[in-house]
Amino acid sequence: GYSTEGRSIRALGIGNPGCGNLMLILGRQHPPELTGYKAMKAFGFSFFDDSLSSVRQFKEENYIVWIPTVNPDGVANGHWRHNASGVDLNRDWADFKQVETRVIRDAVDSLINEFSDRRLRLVIDFHSTWSDIYYVVPGGADSLVLPMIQRSNERCGTQAHINVRPEGEAPVTAMAYFNRKYGAETLTYEVADTTAEHIYKWKSNAAATALMEIMNSRP
């Protein structure tokens, strides 16, 4: 679809578009959060290494929809947290007054309704903040998200450990919406502005690798 100012909101499909398992990756709801954006790229690029049998299996059994720039107008205009209408898009997932959130909502609805057995299993939204944090929905991250975090933290060690926190009472965020509507496990992946690039790329790759291992071992 298109943004308020008519810029394309692009999506990249990875994996098997005919399967029942759907995963959504979002980025740059807030334009200047570049460490989160780069971490998202490292995470997503992990799914392209077809030399690994684990990656090939994962892509046979899952369809990943990656929307790297939710707020293209904000990026183009150098906004801090807002779109062209002056609205923080990550606070519009209850009212859907902005075209950008409606475009993504409708696209996901269409994908879910494409097959009777399709389900949205996981949504990850990448951001930047003061420290490296995983925000999870309490009681809604037990099957995939928390095991992924635990396994990736074990691999990275204490120097790259990421804290886990409950998202709290925020019904207007993307994570709250997708968890509430579809029962999807959701994760807000926050990267500190001061974290070294090689560290957050390493951690993102470790998280993606852990996720693929976990999902490959389950029906």
Side-chain angles (χ1 to χ4, degrees), residues 35-84:
T35 55
Y37 177 73
K38 291 179 180 180
M40 174 191 65
K41 289 173 65 177
F43 185 91
F45 287 160
S46 301
F47 302 130
F48 288 96
D49 187 358
D50 287 335
S51 67
L52 301 176
S53 61
S54 59
V55 174
R56 296 196 302 272
Q57 179 187 343
F58 181 78
K59 291 197 292 187
E60 289 173 1
E61 299 173 355
N62 296 276
Y63 188 47
I64 307 103
V65 176
W66 182 4
I67 304 176
T69 305
V70 174
N71 186 1
D73 295 344
V75 172
N77 293 313
H79 295 166
W80 182 246
R81 289 174 69 86
H82 304 125
N83 70 345

Side-chain angles (χ1 to χ4, degrees), residues 7 9 11 17 34 46 48 50 54 66-67 83 118 133 149 154 160 168-169 178 199-200 214:
R7 294 181 174 86
I9 300 174
L34 290 178
S46 301
F48 288 96
D50 287 335
S54 59
W66 182 4
I67 304 176
N83 70 345
R118 175 167 278 171
I133 302 170
I149 294 170
E154 288 172 353
E169 299 294 329
F178 288 115
I199 293 292
Y200 63 69
I214 292 164

Side-chain angles (χ1 to χ4, degrees), residues 102-172:
R102 292 197 301 269
V103 161
I104 296 170
R105 176 199 64 188
D106 294 346
V108 174
D109 283 347
S110 178
L111 286 164
I112 291 293
N113 294 327
E114 189 175 12
F115 300 106
S116 60
D117 63 343
R118 175 167 278 171
R119 57 176 175 156
L120 183 61
R121 297 195 65 183
L122 178 64
V123 182
I124 303 180
D125 186 18
F126 284 82
H127 289 265
S128 302
T129 189
W130 301 107
S131 59
D132 294 345
I133 302 170
Y134 285 134
Y135 283 113
V136 301
V137 175
D142 298 337
S143 176
L144 298 175
V145 169
L146 292 180
M148 178 192 76
I149 294 170
Q150 180 180 5
R151 190 174 297 193
S152 60
N153 276 342
E154 288 172 353
R155 288 180 174 169
C156 293
T158 56
Q159 64 169 320
H161 186 81
I162 298 178
N163 296 315
V164 180
R165 297 182 188 175
E167 188 175 56
E169 299 294 329
V172 295

Side-chain angles (χ1 to χ4, degrees), residues 46-47 54-55 58 205 207-217:
S46 301
F47 302 130
S54 59
V55 174
F58 181 78
N205 178 260
T209 300
L211 176 66
M212 286 187 281
E213 292 172 351
I214 292 164
M215 294 186 74
N216 286 347
S217 67

